[in-house]
C-alpha cells in the first residue's frame, strides 16, 4: 500500500514479551505490583534470627518454598531468567535464612533446575493443587486458616507427586522434614498425613476431580479448577473461542516454556558465533525459521548464564514473536524511531542493532529505574550511540515535545493474556475488572503516540494479549477518532502463516506451534 504525506497505522500486532503489563491493583500507569506481606488472614510469619546450616533439609525444596512465598506475598514476579542465575544468588539465600530460620547448603545446577521446575509448575497448577489439598483436609477451616509457609510446602509436595511423579517416599519424607524444622513437629505430622492420603489416592487412581455438570457458570468453575485458571478467564475464553479452543489454550499455558536467544549483531556477534558457543557448552538448540538472529533452546539456560553470554552482552533472551514485531517496524539506517513504552528494552535494542550506527532510537518510559537498566544494557551491547532514553509519561510527552519520528512503536501495557506460559504468576494477579481500565489506558497511549508520527510515517501498535478488546477493537476505536490514519497490511514483512484476514500480525498459542 502506498502512503503519501499521511501517517498510517502500519499494522496491529499481537506478540509475546517478558514484562510489559500493567499491575492488577491499582491500575496506575508505571506502578509495580507489590503487595504487603500478609497471609490470607492478615498475619505473615515473622522473620526469625538465622540459625546454623541444616543439612537435613532438601535445599531446592526450601528455596522453592521461600520463593513461592515471595511471589505470592511479596510482589516478586516469577521471572526465572534473571542475571543472578534464576534467583539463586546470595540475596535469595538471605531470604531463606530470614524466612525459615536456618541456612541450607548452596544450590548446584541440578538444584537450580529443580527450583525452576517446582516454582513454575506449582504456580501454574495452584488452583488445582489447592482443590486437592482442601479435598484431603479433615476440616475445610483448616485450609482457609493454614499458615502460608505450610501451604507452600503442601503445594510443593502435591505438585511433585501429581505432576512431576517424583518417588513418593522422597517427597513425603523431605517435605515433612522441611515442615518440622521450618515450623514445628506438629506441622510435619500434618504434612505427613495429608501427603500419604494423596499417595494412596494416586496409586489407586482415585484422585478427586470436579465434575463438568450444571449450567455454564458451574462448568466454567469446574474447568477453572481442572486446568488451574481463574474462572473469569475460562468464561471469557469459552465465550470468545469455544470450549475446545479454551481448553487447548489452558493446556498450552500450563506447559513448560521454551526460550529464544538473539545474537547481538551490535557487537558483531552473529548467530553462527552463538551456535558455536552453544555447541561448546553442549546446549541443545534449534535455529529459528523466521528470524536470522534467533536460536531456540528448551534446556541449558543455566549453562548460558554461567558462560557469561548475557553478562557480556553477546546475546539476549527475547521471544521470536517480539522479534517479528521489529520485522514489521522494519528499522532502516538513518531513520528516527521512538519506542513509546520501552522498558525493559528488548525491542529498543533490537531496533537499534538494525541501524548500523546510523539514525536514532528514542526510548521513552515512565519507569526511571528500568530505563537506567536499558541504558546500561545499550552500553554493554555497544548500541548507546544510537539510543537515547527519556523518562516521561507518554500521555503528556507530546505536549512539550515537537519532534516527529519516521516510525513510532507502541508496545502497549496490557493484560498479558498471551504470555501465561512464560509468566506463570500473571494469571493470579490479573482481575476481570482490569480490562476496562486497560482499554482506557491503551486508548490514551495510542492517541499520544499518534502525535509523534511524521507525515508519511508509520505507527505500529502491539500487545502481548490475545484478547480482541485490547487489540482489534482498540485499533478500530482509534481509527474512528483519527480518520487521517489508515491500516497497512504486514504481509510484506512476515510470513503468511502469521497474518490475520485483516492483515494483522497474530501469534496465538492455539494456532502457532512454531513460536
Amino acid at each position: 500500500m502506498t502512503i503519501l504525506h499521511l501517517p498510517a497505522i502500519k499494522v496491529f500486532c499481537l506478540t509475546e514479551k517478558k514484562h510489559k503489563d500493567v499491575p492488577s491493583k491499582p491500575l496506575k500507569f508505571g506502578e509495580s505490583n507489590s503487595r504487603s506481606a500478609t497471609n490470607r488472614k492478615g498475619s505473615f510469619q515473622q522473620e526469625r534470627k538465622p540459625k546454623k546450616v541444616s543439612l537435613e533439609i532438601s535445599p531446592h525444596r526450601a528455596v522453592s518454598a521461600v520463593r513461592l512465598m515471595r511471589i505470592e506475598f511479596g510482589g516478586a514476579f516469577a521471572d526465572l531468567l534473571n542475571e543472578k542465575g534464576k534467583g539463586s544468588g546470595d540475596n535469595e539465600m538471605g531470604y531463606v535464612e530470614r524466612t525459615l530460620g536456618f541456612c541450607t547448603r548452596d544450590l548446584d545446577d541440578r538444584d537450580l533446575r529443580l527450583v525452576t521446575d517446582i516454582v513454575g509448575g506449582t504456580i501454574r497448577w495452584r488452583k488445582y493443587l489447592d482443590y486437592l489439598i482442601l479435598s484431603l483436609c479433615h476440616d475445610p477451616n483448616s485450609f482457609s486458616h493454614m499458615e502460608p509457609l505450610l501451604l507452600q510446602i503442601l503445594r510443593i509436595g502435591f505438585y511433585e507427586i501429581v505432576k512431576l511423579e517424583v518417588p513418593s517416599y522422597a517427597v513425603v519424607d523431605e517435605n515433612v522434614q522441611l515442615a518440622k524444622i521450618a515450623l514445628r513437629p506438629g506441622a510435619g505430622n500434618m504434612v505427613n498425613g495429608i501427603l500419604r492420603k494423596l499417595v494412596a489416592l494416586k496409586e489407586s487412581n482415585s484422585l478427586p476431580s470436579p465434575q463438568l455438570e450444571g449450567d455454564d457458570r458451574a462448568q466454567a468453575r469446574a474447568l477453572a479448577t481442572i486446568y488451574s485458571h481463574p474462572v473469569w478467564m475460562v468464561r471469557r475464553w469459552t465465550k470468545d473461542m469455544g470450549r475446545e479452543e479454551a481448553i487447548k489454550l489452558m493446556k498450552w499455558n500450563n506447559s513448560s516454556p521454551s526460550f529464544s536467544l538473539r545474537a547481538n549483531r551490535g557487537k558483531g556477534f552473529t548467530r553462527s558465533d552463538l551456535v558455536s558457543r552453544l555447541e561448546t557448552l553442549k546446549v541443545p538448540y534449534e535455529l529459528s525459521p523466521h528470524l536470522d538472529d534467533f536460536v531456540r533452546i528448551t534446556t541449558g539456560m543455566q549453562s548460558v548464564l554461567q558462560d557469561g553470554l548475557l553478562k557480556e552482552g553477546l546475546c539476549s533472551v527475547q521471544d521470536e514473536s517480539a522479534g517479528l514485531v521489529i520485522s514489521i517496524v522494519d528499522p532502516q539506517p538513518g531513520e528516527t524511531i521512538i519506542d513509546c513504552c520501552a522498558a525493559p528494552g528488548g525491542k529498543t535494542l533490537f531496533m537499534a542493532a538494525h541501524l548500523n550506527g546510523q539514525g536514532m532510537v528514542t526510548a521513552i518510559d515512565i519507569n526511571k529505574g528500568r530505563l537506567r537498566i536499558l541504558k546500561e544494557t545499550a552500553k554493554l551491547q555497544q548500541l548507546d550511540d544510537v539510543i537515547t532514553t527519556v523518562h516521561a509519561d507518554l500521555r503528556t510527552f507530546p505536549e512539550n515535545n515537537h519532534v516527529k519520528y519516521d516510525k513510532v512503536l507502541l508496545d502497549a501495557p496490557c493484560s498479558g493474556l498471551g504470555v501465561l506460559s512464560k509468566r506463570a504468576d500473571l494469571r493470579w494477579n490479573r482481575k476481570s475488572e482490569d480490562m476496562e481500565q486497560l482499554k482506557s489506558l491503551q486508548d490514551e497511549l495510542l492517541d499520544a503516540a499518534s502525535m509523534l508520527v511524521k507525515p508519511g510515517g508509520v505507527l505500529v501498535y502491539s500487545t502481548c494479549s490475545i484478547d480482541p478488546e485490547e487489540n482489534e477493537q482498540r485499533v478500530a476505536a482509534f481509527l474512528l477518532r483519527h480518520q487521517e490514519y489508515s491500516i497497512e497490511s504486514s504481509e510484506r514483512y512476515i510470513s503468511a502463516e502469521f497474518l490475520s484476514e485483516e492483515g494483522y500480525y497474530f501469534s496465538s498459542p492455539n494456532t502457532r506451534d512454531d513460536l
Side-chain angles (χ1 to χ4, degrees), residues 39 114 120 145 216-217 226 262 333 344:
N39 68 11
L114 288 169
H145 291 84
D216 291 345
R217 195 178 292 265
I226 293 169
R262 173 175 62 80

Side-chain angles (χ1 to χ4, degrees), residues 20-22 27 232-233 236-237 412-420 423 426-427 429-431 434-435 438 442 463-467 470-471:
K20 194 70 63 79
D21 54 65
V22 173
L27 270 171
W232 74 267
M233 286 187 190
R236 192 179 190 95
W237 292 337
C414 67
S415 65
L417 296 184
V419 292
L420 296 185
R423 287 292 310 278
L426 187 57
R427 72 185 70 177
N429 294 334
R430 186 67 65 223
K431 306 297 180 185
D434 295 347
M435 302 302 288
L438 281 166
Q442 290 155 0
T463 77
C464 61
S465 174
I466 58 173
D467 197 291
E470 298 183 81
N471 298 318

Side-chain angles (χ1 to χ4, degrees), residues 29 31 100 128 140 171 181 241-242 293 313 323 385 419 476 478 492:
F29 185 40
E31 289 190 355
L100 303 183
Y128 175 64
V171 177
I181 295 179
M241 63 183 74
D293 295 329
D385 57 332
V419 292
F478 174 82
R492 292 169 48 199

